[in-house]
Amino acid sequence: MISRATVRRHTVVKVREGYCRREKDAVVVEEPLEIRLAIPSTQQTVQLATLMRTPDADVELATGFLFGEGIIRDRYDITTIRYCVDAEFDDEVRFNTLMVNLHADRDLDLEAHRRFFFASSSCGVCGKASLESLHLRGCTPLIDDPTVRVTCTVLAGLDDTLRQAQRLFARTGGLHAAALFTTSGQLLTLYEDIGRHNAVDKLIGAHVLNGTLAHLRQSMLVVSGRASFEIVQKALMARIPIVVAVGAPSTLAVTLAQHFHMTLIGFLRGAVCNIYTGVERVVRVDDH
């Protein structure tokens, strides 16, 4: 896949202690990505969604998004993913439009998936409806695996490891990160994007494409910002048992994690954090 610029240089006026000077500064790129879906069973091609993203790992992003929405179950549900071309302009590649061709055996009720999509993304929907939509997708509570345990000592180093690995954030200060860690604290995968939910989709999508979804069930998802319902939902779809956020969780994120027996940790700052649900997966915790 062709690599595209994620950062551009922009002339700014920097003000420091009353003095002004013009300098070049790195600014993160934000562009739309339209995802089109070709469904062989109905011979339909539909515009499914448009995501505002940083143009990097677009295939992983689209794959993770489709997986999180329940449209695909694994990499074999996809035959091809490619950028569209514009025949009117000498087959110019349209880098902001991806065509996803589903496998002929993938029987898809697109309207049902659209209803689920709006239930999980609409600001006005109630928490009960959101949880019910996940049950209708086939989501079940996670079974506690006694081998999946993390110590407070490991948690204490995660935010620092995450920050040091954020290559683009160090240049621009404008990106979120989603990282996969082992329960021993080893960094496995990290993706950055201007949207925290996009970074999670890129991470999960990469594992879908690589056929390594099983690894997620033994790992921790760490995000650089807050933990929203959408972030925890995506982790649930991938069966990730532990979600750690540098920022705060929302009430619906806590409800979702509790309902599906996930561990949700927020406000991670060095050795300080809050464990909202699933404390049994964290060892050496003073309950008092």
Side-chain angles (χ1 to χ4, degrees), residues 5-158:
T6 56
V7 175
R8 293 190 185 128
R9 305 293 291 179
H10 186 77
T11 300
V12 302
V13 176
K14 290 193 174 182
V15 180
R16 301 292 185 270
E17 298 179 352
Y19 292 94
C20 302
R21 66 176 182 272
R22 291 184 179 274
E23 287 186 11
K24 291 287 188 180
D25 195 28
V27 180
V28 63
V29 175
E30 180 180 23
E31 293 178 354
L33 176 68
E34 178 185 325
I35 301 175
R36 295 181 181 179
L37 198 63
I39 309 171
S41 60
T42 61
Q43 296 185 333
Q44 285 182 288
T45 298
V46 296
Q47 179 184 342
L48 184 67
T50 300
L51 310 176
M52 298 304 297
R53 95 308 189 191
T54 303
D56 180 46
D58 286 342
V59 169
E60 289 83 353
L61 171 58
T63 301
F65 176 80
L66 294 175
F67 180 84
E69 295 304 319
I71 293 173
I72 63 170
R73 300 157 299 188
D74 53 44
R75 58 180 173 171
Y76 301 108
D77 284 336
I78 297 175
T79 57
T80 60
I81 302 182
R82 56 178 174 79
Y83 290 111
C84 293
V85 296
D86 197 329
E88 294 183 6
F89 296 92
D90 298 323
D91 291 336
E92 178 182 353
V93 178
R94 298 172 60 181
F95 288 109
N96 287 338
T97 306
L98 272 179
M99 176 66 74
V100 181
N101 289 275
L102 296 183
H103 194 277
D105 294 336
R106 182 61 173 138
D107 188 17
L108 185 67
D109 184 350
L110 188 60
E111 285 305 314
H113 283 285
R114 278 176 169 164
R115 289 194 297 272
F116 293 150
F117 172 72
F118 288 121
S120 65
S121 62
S122 173
C123 295
V125 75
C126 72
K128 181 179 178 182
S130 298
L131 293 175
E132 286 176 352
S133 73
L134 290 172
H135 280 295
L136 290 172
R137 286 187 189 181
C139 287
T140 58
L142 272 64
I143 298 174
D144 184 35
D145 181 348
T147 66
V148 179
R149 295 292 185 267
V150 61
T151 67
C152 292
T153 302
V154 167
L155 288 174
L158 293 182

Side-chain angles (χ1 to χ4, degrees), residues 148-217:
V148 179
R149 295 292 185 267
V150 61
T151 67
C152 292
T153 302
V154 167
L155 288 174
L158 293 182
D159 60 330
D160 186 55
T161 302
L162 180 72
R163 186 167 51 252
Q164 291 184 31
Q166 288 183 253
R167 179 180 57 85
L168 292 177
F169 178 81
R171 294 179 61 192
T172 66
L175 288 119
H176 287 286
L180 195 72
F181 284 85
T182 67
T183 53
S184 62
Q186 178 186 358
L187 175 61
L188 299 174
T189 315
L190 183 142
Y191 282 89
E192 293 180 277
D193 196 276
I194 198 163
R196 63 177 64 85
H197 51 288
N198 289 342
V200 174
D201 278 338
K202 288 178 178 181
L203 185 152
I204 294 174
H207 284 273
V208 173
L209 292 170
N210 292 332
T212 53
L213 276 172
H215 294 175
L216 303 181
R217 303 188 177 202

